[in-house]
């Protein structure tokens, strides 16, 4: 059977990216930054896409699986 899909309503700013991780559903939003101008060939194609947790439950899961970088570790 096909899963139910939540379609964002009008006025929605973000479309969440949903992943199933173990028994939880993670929601992320993304932003893309494009650098340079068509005349600057060194950065003309440079784009960085970043993903951020869309809710606190997703942020908690991501923190629990990511090793801490505090204290130089």
């Amino acid at each position: 059977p096909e899963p139910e899909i939540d379609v964002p309503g009008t006025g929605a700013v973000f479309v969440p990216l949903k992943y199933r991780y173990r028994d939880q559903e993670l929601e992320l939003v993304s932003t893309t930054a494009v650098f340079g101008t068509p005349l600057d060939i060194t950065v003309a194609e440079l784009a960085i896409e970043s993903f951020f947790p869309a809710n606190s439950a997703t942020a908690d899961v991501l923190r629990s699986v990511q090793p801490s970088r505090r204290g130089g570790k």
Side-chain angles (χ1 to χ4, degrees), residues 1-69:
E2 290 187 36
E4 288 188 29
I5 298 173
D6 294 329
V7 178
T10 58
V13 178
F14 296 104
V15 176
L17 173 65
K18 295 183 179 184
Y19 280 105
R20 171 74 51 195
Y21 176 74
R22 297 183 181 167
D23 62 341
Q24 296 178 315
E25 183 176 87
L26 306 180
E27 290 189 36
L28 302 147
V29 294
S30 70
T31 183
T32 303
V34 179
F35 299 91
T37 64
L39 301 176
D40 188 356
I41 194 156
T42 58
V43 293
E45 302 267 338
L46 179 63
I48 298 173
E49 185 172 14
S50 301
F51 293 89
F52 300 95
N55 55 43
S56 59
T58 298
D60 292 341
V61 171
L62 294 177
R63 280 190 208 102
S64 73
V65 298
Q66 173 65 34
S68 175
R69 294 186 181 190

